[in-house]
Amino acid sequence: MYLLILFLPLLSAFSSGLFGRFLGEKGAPVLTTSLIGITSLFSWTALYSYLINPVPKYIHLWNWIESGSLQINLGLQFDGITIIMLTLVTSVSALVHLYSSEYMAGDPHVPRFMSYLSLFTFFMIVLVTADNFLQLFIGWEGVGLCSYLLINFWFTRIQANKSAIKAMVVNRVGDVGVTLAIFTIFILFGSLDFSTVFALVHKLQNHTILFFNFELHTLTLISILLLIGAIGKSAQLGLHTWLPDAMEGPTPVSALIHAATMVTAGVFLLIRSSPILEYAPNALILIVIIGALTALFAATVGLVQNDIKKVIAYSTCSQLGYMVFACGLSNYSVSLFHLFNHGFFKALLFLSAGAVIHAMADEQDMRKLGGLIKSLPFTYSMMLIGSLSLMGFPFLTGFYSKDAILEWSFATYSIEGTFAHWLGSLAALFTAFYSFRLLYLTFISNSNASQLTFKNSHESGFKMSFPLFLLSIASIFVGYIFRDAFIGLGSSFFGSSIFILPFHSDRFIDAEFIPTIIKWMPVVFSLFGAFLAFVLYHFFSMWLATLKSRFQTFYIFLNNKWHFDLIYNSYIVKPLLSFGHNISYKLLDRGFIEFLGPFGISKGVLYISNYSKMIQTGLIYHYAFTIFVFATLFIYFIGPTAYVINDLFISLIFVLFFSTN
């Protein structure tokens, strides 16, 4: 069963990719959806089995690399972290496959699209089931490759090309950090296996390394390098710019990337590396700061976005900030719980947005929508459930994990914990505001769409509606069902897969006794944000234009995403492009190298040929004189040396001949 979880998505990808021409536009979705659906059922079976008997399982496949002290075995590891990730990835992937079979109907390249989705799922499973850092890195890079293919699926669109390249380049920055971290881990521990590395961490907790003539704490250096990888992959502040642009891909791609797979890989890496992070307190503080700033930054930018998919994309970025700073506070289990919950309600939001776009002739601008509650009541209900779960409405899935993260952050009674708590609470307010803004502009306000488009809007078919229904059920009940199993006091679900120092684990109990006003503050903030959005857009919509003009500078600042793209383009991208054009291309490639290379050689040969042609007079005594001069020079300068070389050559032949005989 465990091997089938890994290899069925690979079979699905190859079947649809290689034989898609024979399967056709209908056969490929049926085959891939069936195989991924079976994989999802196996994952849920594995979760049920692990809940009954929480004992990790290890499967050795074969010896892969043996070079000196480096020994890498390909193996599968099924512990608490892996089981949760497998369940989420395969479930969302199966529903996205089913959804895509109707959403992408009519596209001539459906088999290729389904193949990319399955390959994406396979590499994500490779990532989460790895038992060593190198195998994890293979899945890490495979996911990045597939994201490029999926974002650029409609490759005839120039913006899709740009977004895919941007995602690839920005993620490479994070990948450099992961690569350096793996090198450092091997140098320090002599192994890349999780079991070996994590068992030796406490013995090397005081080890230092000389880095650019600075003595650094080695585990802190490794933790920071892993954090750089997580920042790139999970779109944290600084390397977040690729995530909203990735919306250029088809909507099912957005759901798969932003809900369950690629963006969660960075958080998964931090959780998996908890034994290393726990002995790097300075790195943990840095993780808290970056995560909290990301949560607030993305929430503020989401307030002013008009593209329905980009609003949800920035909400993803904000929620990932919660997960990251929870890891920085050593709250790995709650971070993973929020990752699990977030996957379901975020997939629900993206697929509901896709249903709206599908019904409104590919229109994504919320300002050109409105009034859809009458024509799309089911989609409205689904998006309402997803939005309420996102904002942490009491007793829905998102409430249990988000509330636990904020309670834990306050219970640390530290500067960084208080910092994260207040920024997370403000982010919760903004999240509720832009969630209800999205609902109001899309479904409740007066329609701004064309009359023809509005009249032709209709609910999606069964293949698109059924995944929405299942995800809505998960967005309501999953948090309640799994809360005690995942993060309840005394829970042994994760066992040794997550390591927390005793000093940090005491905060679990402290979180239960924080003041009641602190416990309810995130909920109050969320409800106030939702209420404020409804009142402003329903009763005082005319004031919004006045507010924009009065706070125009601030509005432009938010609308331009804190000017991150402008800064990167002005100070990094354009100087590098200018350097590449003027130095690398004009001066070196088309200049110096060309002068010494093909162009220079051809020009020199032509020059010598033309000059030699002028020497050819046709008179015999000129040729005789030239031969005499060069023969004299040869005898004078080279003759003695030539005799010596000739004698040495004859002696060598003589010796070799007689020695052979």
Side-chain angles (χ1 to χ4, degrees), residues 65-251:
I65 299 175
E66 293 185 4
S67 178
S69 60
L70 178 62
Q71 294 185 354
I72 304 294
N73 300 322
L74 284 181
L76 305 179
Q77 175 176 302
F78 295 90
D79 54 10
I81 301 175
T82 301
I83 293 294
I84 290 179
M85 293 296 297
L86 279 179
T87 305
L88 174 63
V89 170
T90 56
S91 300
V92 173
S93 179
L95 296 176
V96 167
H97 275 75
L98 179 60
Y99 183 95
S100 301
S101 62
E102 180 177 341
Y103 187 89
M104 300 296 292
D107 194 298
H109 304 292
V110 169
R112 177 165 62 89
F113 181 77
M114 304 304 290
S115 176
Y116 289 168
L117 289 180
S118 298
L119 191 63
F120 200 116
T121 307
F122 167 73
F123 278 118
M124 193 65 194
I125 294 174
V126 171
L127 192 155
V128 301
T129 58
D131 66 347
N132 61 81
F133 281 101
L134 187 58
Q135 190 174 331
L136 182 148
F137 188 70
I138 293 173
W140 183 279
E141 290 297 309
V143 168
L145 170 64
C146 292
S147 70
Y148 172 83
L149 297 174
L150 287 169
I151 296 170
N152 198 33
F153 177 74
W154 288 323
F155 53 84
T156 55
R157 298 165 56 177
I158 186 66
Q159 195 58 44
N161 298 153
K162 292 180 179 179
S163 300
I165 293 172
K166 187 177 183 179
M168 178 67 75
V169 172
V170 174
N171 274 276
R172 293 293 77 75
V173 178
D175 294 350
V176 171
V178 177
T179 305
L180 293 176
I182 292 174
F183 287 155
T184 310
I185 288 171
F186 178 72
I187 293 171
L188 181 61
F189 298 97
S191 176
L192 295 177
D193 291 335
F194 292 150
S195 57
T196 304
V197 172
F198 297 158
L200 297 175
V201 167
H202 72 283
K203 295 183 178 180
L204 298 170
Q205 57 182 299
N206 297 320
H207 188 276
T208 59
I209 190 173
L210 200 63
F211 187 78
F212 287 102
N213 210 26
F214 291 97
E215 191 175 8
L216 299 177
H217 184 228
T218 310
L219 295 181
T220 300
L221 177 61
I222 294 173
S223 300
I224 292 174
L225 292 173
L226 292 173
L227 173 62
I228 293 173
I231 291 173
K233 194 69 75 177
S234 292
Q236 296 299 286
L237 190 66
L239 297 178
H240 66 278
T241 55
W242 70 270
L243 190 66
D245 291 348
M247 297 298 100
E248 289 297 325
T251 300

Side-chain angles (χ1 to χ4, degrees), residues 271-443:
I271 297 171
R272 177 63 77 190
S273 305
S274 60
I276 298 176
L277 299 181
E278 284 296 289
Y279 291 104
N282 294 329
L284 288 176
I285 295 174
L286 182 61
I287 293 173
V288 172
I289 294 172
I290 291 176
L293 289 175
T294 303
L296 181 65
F297 155 77
T300 57
V301 175
L303 294 173
V304 298
Q305 296 299 307
N306 296 311
D307 189 308
I308 187 172
K309 289 173 66 175
K310 285 192 176 182
V311 173
I312 305 173
Y314 276 106
S315 75
T316 299
C317 193
S318 181
Q319 298 304 307
L320 289 167
Y322 282 97
M323 303 174 202
V324 170
F325 81 67
C327 291
L329 297 171
S330 301
N331 198 0
Y332 306 101
S333 58
V334 178
S335 176
L336 187 59
F337 184 42
H338 191 55
L339 188 157
F340 185 73
N341 294 342
H342 170 266
F344 292 110
F345 63 73
K346 187 51 57 71
L348 176 61
L349 284 172
F350 268 115
L351 296 184
S352 299
V356 172
I357 296 168
H358 191 70
M360 298 299 291
D362 297 330
E363 183 58 66
Q364 297 180 200
D365 194 332
M366 295 186 297
R367 296 169 297 182
K368 299 179 181 179
L369 301 175
L372 297 179
I373 190 172
K374 296 180 180 179
S375 55
L376 303 176
F378 176 77
T379 304
Y380 168 71
S381 301
M382 299 297 101
M383 186 159 280
L384 177 63
I385 293 172
S387 298
L388 290 173
S389 188
L390 170 65
M391 60 180 277
F393 191 82
F395 312 116
L396 295 186
T397 289
F399 165 77
Y400 293 98
S401 51
K402 180 187 282 188
D403 188 68
I405 289 175
L406 294 175
E407 288 181 7
W408 176 275
S409 62
F410 185 85
T412 59
Y413 298 107
S414 60
I415 297 175
E416 64 272 14
T418 305
F419 175 80
H421 178 266
W422 283 105
L423 264 61
S425 299
L426 284 175
L429 188 152
F430 296 145
T431 299
F433 185 94
Y434 65 64
S435 295
F436 266 76
R437 174 177 177 265
L438 183 150
L439 288 171
Y440 187 86
L441 293 178
T442 305
F443 295 98

Side-chain angles (χ1 to χ4, degrees), residues 508-521:
F508 277 114
I509 300 175
D510 295 338
E512 297 292 329
F513 299 99
I514 63 175
T516 305
I517 188 172
I518 299 296
K519 286 190 174 186
W520 283 98
M521 187 172 65

